[in-house]
Amino acid sequence: MARALPSRLQAAARLSRQGLRAARHTRARDQAVTMPIPKTIPSVLQILLSPAGLAITPASGDYAATPCVSPSRIPKVTHELTLADRARLPVLTARGAVAERTVVSIATAGADIRIGGRAVVVAAGPCAVENRDMLLSTARSVRSAGAVMLRGGAFKPRTSPYSFQGMGADALALLAEAREQTGLAVITEVLDPRHVELVAAHADVLQVGARNMQNFALLAEVGRSSRPVLLKRGMSATLDELLMAAEHIMAGGNSRVILCERGIRTFETKTRNTLDVSAIPVLKRETHLPVFVDPSHAGGRAHLVSPLALAAIAAGADGLIVEVHPSPASALSDGEQSLPPRAFATLVRQVAVVAGSVGREVDVGRPQARADDGSEQPNEELEGGTDELTDLAGVALPALLDALANVRDDIQTVDREIISLLARRVALGRRAGRVKRAAGVSVVDPMQEAAVLERARELAEAAGLPYRDLRALLRGMIAISRRAQLNDEAADEAESR
Ligand code: PEP
Ligand code: MN
């Protein structure tokens, strides 16, 4: 025999039935359901009513239930859940709560961003906004590399009270200026419920950091905001706890939530945190919300950012948030995990390859705006990038060694690109060889080889490299191609014998 519910719960259940009926008849989101509720039971009632899209708020001595999510988001499974389940299970974030996956749209003058759609979205920028020049130059670099969102901390949650705490409101104005100049959407962290309105006035996306994932006052406040929220997983939080935190934001009325895996604390000390790659498919399976990954805070070292980012995209992440600094060795925070602009540009190209292999693409935004005078914006990548090796005087040896490791990583990547281009060139030479054999022309063509070498002078001038060295390089390339064609010829002859 079912045990009778305590009278407080009975009363709550009765009121919740009324609330559910009222919610069904409430079309407009802001229309209040007038339902006086005795002061003694609001918390029980909140558990019962939040899945139905009603929030309990104090009203003239009593409480009133107000719709807090759109009726289309009222989950169909509600009636099957027991009272205990409702407090335990995320409901609004659950995959079955809505028919379609949530796509968070953000529009700026330079981009129409859709987070959670087919395209992968990349946000990048410094850990903290340090000054105007560094922010604007980083914004331009990440924009030309293919990012569509600019990150940059204005209010910084630092482990030590003596570390740089961020520029505060001044940084917000600089972020807005960077958006104006580049068209990048702005994402920045809000630490304090009292700052939500201020941050929302400057940013396109509010970031709730790992340390604040269970700051319920902050979650309630961002839940009342009209800005999308990127919610980072706490460093020791389970995925259920992350989802419940998202549930708090959604129950407050804001359904534009992006979840973010940023590494969790494990026993491993070689990395700052451990990226929980499995969180991505789990969250994608259990929720309808987009999932971002922060490879920078996960690895904590620049050389880990690219492999972790690629793993995240391969595992189904909808986007990345990456720390980029024009001079990582002299960054005021998180320099050791920040990528210099050129390494970031390489990363975006690699992300595009991995995204393509899992049926997606990278959203690189609209073509970059021209400068006011109509000239093209400089392409820092082609021009050698912003020089992260300036201002090194007084930098400590470990930071210098880190900077050197970053540059060597870049060199390795470029070598790989050169070799793969060389392989393409050889393949083209072999194709030419087949045509030459079919036409009965000699595979070795001294005239053609001389013409290729002749181009060395022009190429050397364009690239600013010594003519002699470039000529030697071209000679080597010709020799590789000629050998491949002669081998093919010999194989053909052996076959026809
Ligand atoms: C950040 O993104 O700057 C940050 C502090 O991240 P997290 O909250 O993940 O540590
Ligand atoms: Mn950081």
Side-chain angles (χ1 to χ4, degrees):
M1 208 176 65
R3 262 193 319 173
L5 286 168
S7 62
R8 204 158 84 88
L9 288 188
Q10 276 178 350
R14 184 168 39 76
L15 281 167
S16 108
R17 278 194 299 276
Q18 286 172 15
L20 287 167
R21 265 198 303 276
R24 271 197 289 274
H25 290 109
T26 305
R27 306 261 25 119
R29 205 174 149 237
D30 299 327
Q31 201 177 320
V33 176
T34 43
M35 204 175 70
I37 297 159
K39 268 188 177 153
T40 46
I41 57 171
S43 59
V44 179
L45 205 56
Q46 179 62 81
I47 291 164
L48 288 163
L49 288 184
S50 61
L54 294 172
I56 307 300
T57 48
S60 60
D62 265 338
Y63 287 83
T66 321
C68 61
V69 287
S70 81
S72 66
R73 286 187 174 269
I74 296 173
K76 307 198 175 26
V77 293
T78 309
H79 65 280
E80 292 161 12
L81 298 176
T82 65
L83 187 63
D85 283 342
R86 288 178 202 205
R88 218 165 18 90
L89 293 177
V91 181
L92 299 173
T93 55
R95 180 74 188 90
V98 286
E100 305 271 327
R101 287 197 165 282
T102 292
V103 174
V104 174
S105 299
I106 304 155
T108 72
D112 286 312
I113 303 166
R114 287 167 52 80
I115 299 175
R118 196 180 114 89
V120 166
V121 168
V122 182
C127 177
V129 177
E130 297 172 8
N131 58 59
R132 183 170 181 274
D133 283 354
M134 69 79 75
L135 183 69
L136 297 182
S137 104
T138 312
R140 279 194 291 271
S141 312
V142 300
R143 175 74 184 87
S144 73
V148 286
M149 293 171 74
L150 174 67
R151 64 148 290 150
F155 300 98
K156 292 303 303 172
R158 302 307 299 277
T159 303
S160 163
Y162 310 113
S163 305
F164 176 56
Q165 306 292 311
M167 288 174 68
D170 291 348
L172 296 175
L174 293 177
L175 286 164
E177 185 183 347
R179 172 181 46 221
E180 194 117 304
Q181 288 200 10
T182 59
L184 292 164
V186 165
I187 173 167
T188 194
E189 179 164 357
V190 56
L191 285 182
D192 186 324
R194 293 166 299 183
H195 292 160
V196 169
E197 212 173 304
L198 172 71
V199 176
H202 292 83
D204 300 285
V205 180
L206 306 175
Q207 176 174 321
V208 173
R211 291 157 193 79
N212 273 312
M213 188 201 83
Q214 285 185 320
N215 178 340
F216 298 113
L218 182 61
L219 298 179
E221 202 55 47
V222 298
R224 280 190 272 274
S225 172
S226 59
R227 295 283 181 217
V229 178
L230 180 115
L231 175 65
K232 288 192 151 192
R233 180 183 183 180
M235 55 192 88
S236 304
T238 64
L239 294 176
D240 280 340
E241 286 164 340
L242 171 64
L243 291 183
M244 274 303 186
E247 198 81 13
H248 271 267
I249 300 172
M250 294 183 73
N254 189 346
S255 53
R256 301 166 79 203
V257 177
I258 304 152
L259 303 169
C260 181
E261 160 62 33
R262 46 77 74 201
I264 49 175
R265 195 160 267 180
T266 67
F267 49 80
E268 184 51 69
T269 54
K270 294 274 186 217
T271 55
R272 180 172 177 182
N273 292 290
T274 297
L275 180 69
D276 181 6
V277 178
S278 33
I280 304 159
V282 170
L283 293 173
K284 296 289 290 186
R285 185 187 167 88
E286 295 197 3
T287 82
H288 51 86
L289 298 172
V291 177
F292 254 52
V293 165
D294 175 344
S296 309
H297 290 86
R301 309 268 182 283
H303 75 97
L304 293 172
V305 173
S306 167
L308 296 183
L310 299 180
I313 298 304
D318 297 301
L320 299 168
I321 178 161
V322 181
E323 285 187 340
V324 175
H325 193 286
S327 172
S330 48
L332 294 182
S333 69
D334 285 350
E336 61 286 10
Q337 68 194 34
S338 299
L339 294 182
R342 268 177 292 166
F344 174 69
T346 305
L347 169 63
V348 177
R349 283 199 297 273
Q350 293 170 336
V351 165
V353 174
V354 174
S357 73
V358 291
R360 305 183 79 171
E361 70 227 356
V362 177
D363 172 8
V364 293
R366 291 204 277 270
Q368 199 166 9
R370 280 157 189 268
D372 287 347
D373 61 4
S375 64
E376 296 283 354
Q377 299 281 11
N379 183 339
E380 282 171 353
E381 208 202 324
L382 282 182
E383 289 169 11
T386 54
D387 193 355
E388 63 270 17
L389 292 182
T390 53
D391 299 336
L392 286 182
V395 176
L397 185 61
L400 287 174
L401 294 178
D402 249 13
L404 182 59
N406 279 342
V407 178
R408 285 182 171 158
D409 276 356
D410 277 6
I411 290 175
Q412 246 185 46
T413 309
V414 170
D415 283 354
R416 228 177 275 130
E417 286 172 6
I418 292 174
I419 302 299
S420 85
L421 282 174
L422 181 62
R424 246 178 82 195
R425 191 187 189 285
V426 171
L428 287 170
R430 293 175 68 190
R431 205 194 302 169
R434 272 201 303 279
V435 178
K436 284 188 241 172
R437 290 197 300 282
V441 186
S442 163
V443 162
V444 180
D445 182 348
M447 296 286 279
Q448 169 65 10
E449 291 181 2
V452 171
L453 288 179
E454 208 30 59
R455 267 179 246 141
R457 195 176 298 281
E458 186 194 321
L459 293 174
E461 257 167 43
L465 293 170
Y467 164 64
R468 266 172 197 285
D469 294 349
L470 209 64
R471 197 178 150 88
L473 186 68
L474 285 176
R475 219 190 271 283
M477 291 191 336
I478 289 169
I480 295 172
S481 177
R482 189 199 298 149
R483 249 193 312 278
Q485 291 179 52
L486 288 172
N487 282 346
D488 286 348
E489 187 177 50
D492 270 5
E493 277 170 10
E495 209 169 282
S496 62
R497 256 189 253 123

